[in-house]
Amino acid sequence: LAKTTQPISMDSYEGQEVNITCSHNNIATNDYITWYQQFPSQGPRFIIQGYKTKVTNEVASLFIPADRKSSTLSLPRVSLSDTAVYYCLVGDLNTGGFKTIFGAGTRLFVKA
Amino acid sequence: DGGITQSPKYLFRKEGQNVTLSCEQNLNHDAMYWYRQDPGQGLRLIYYSQIVNDFQKGDIAEGYSVSREKKESFPLTVTSAQKNPTAFYLCASSAGGGIGEQYFGPGTRLTVT
């Protein structure tokens, strides 16, 4: 299972774009990259998932370079309510869901 | 309205007592999971089930037990053998068996004194 490394914490201000990078040097050919968001005392919530290049939805964008050894979650114009922990996960879409590893994640603090 | 429910939200027990945490989903998902989260930490997998009447141990199964008699339900029992049971417990489900989107319940915060 591909291990991921992401910063422990980040600070930002309201209205700024935030980019959180995740390293996954031993990602496998069939692996996808998935990001979750977790607020205190709540379960994580799926944000975005991708395999290569760029994926965008109403919440965020996910940038994946050609070698797929890292990925960047981009949150446009953050607000105070985006203060949360963000988890980067890597794994096969069809098998091994039980191997999904939620590490410590990145704690994002958005200030006014 | 589809989703996962966990009850209760807060649970207090005395040391030495077994306690069962409820998890129900109406998403028609085959796979269900139980995670434990300690303060400032990530999630650790306790048990998972990919189909009814089948479940496997995760990374920290000691002191816990589960059952999967119905597709919708995956209760977790925290036994007296669990040495440090105070934690935040999260149940999740997913349609497939891979890293596809997992839907999480609101969690149960268990305090054992």
Side-chain angles (χ1 to χ4, degrees), chain A residues 3 17 19 35 50 61 68 82 93 97 100 103-104 109-111:
Chain A
K3 178 177 160 52
E17 178 184 77
N19 296 308
W35 286 81
S61 294
R68 305 202 324 123
D82 291 314
L93 262 189
T100 301
F109 296 95
V110 179
K111 306 172 188 175

Side-chain angles (χ1 to χ4, degrees), chain A residues 6 20 36-37 47 73 75 82 84-88 105-106 108:
Chain A
Q6 46 183 130
I20 306 174
Y36 283 81
Q37 174 192 56
I47 300 176
L73 174 73
L75 304 173
D82 291 314
V85 177
Y86 293 84
Y87 298 97
C88 167
T106 297
L108 173 65

Side-chain angles (χ1 to χ4, degrees), chain A residues 36 38 87 91-92 97-98 103 107, chain B residues 37 40 42 45 97-99 102 109:
Chain A
Y36 283 81
Q38 185 181 26
Y87 298 97
D92 191 293
F98 56 91
R107 293 181 176 272
Chain B
Q37 187 172 37
L45 183 65
I99 200 176
Q102 288 190 21
R109 189 167 298 280

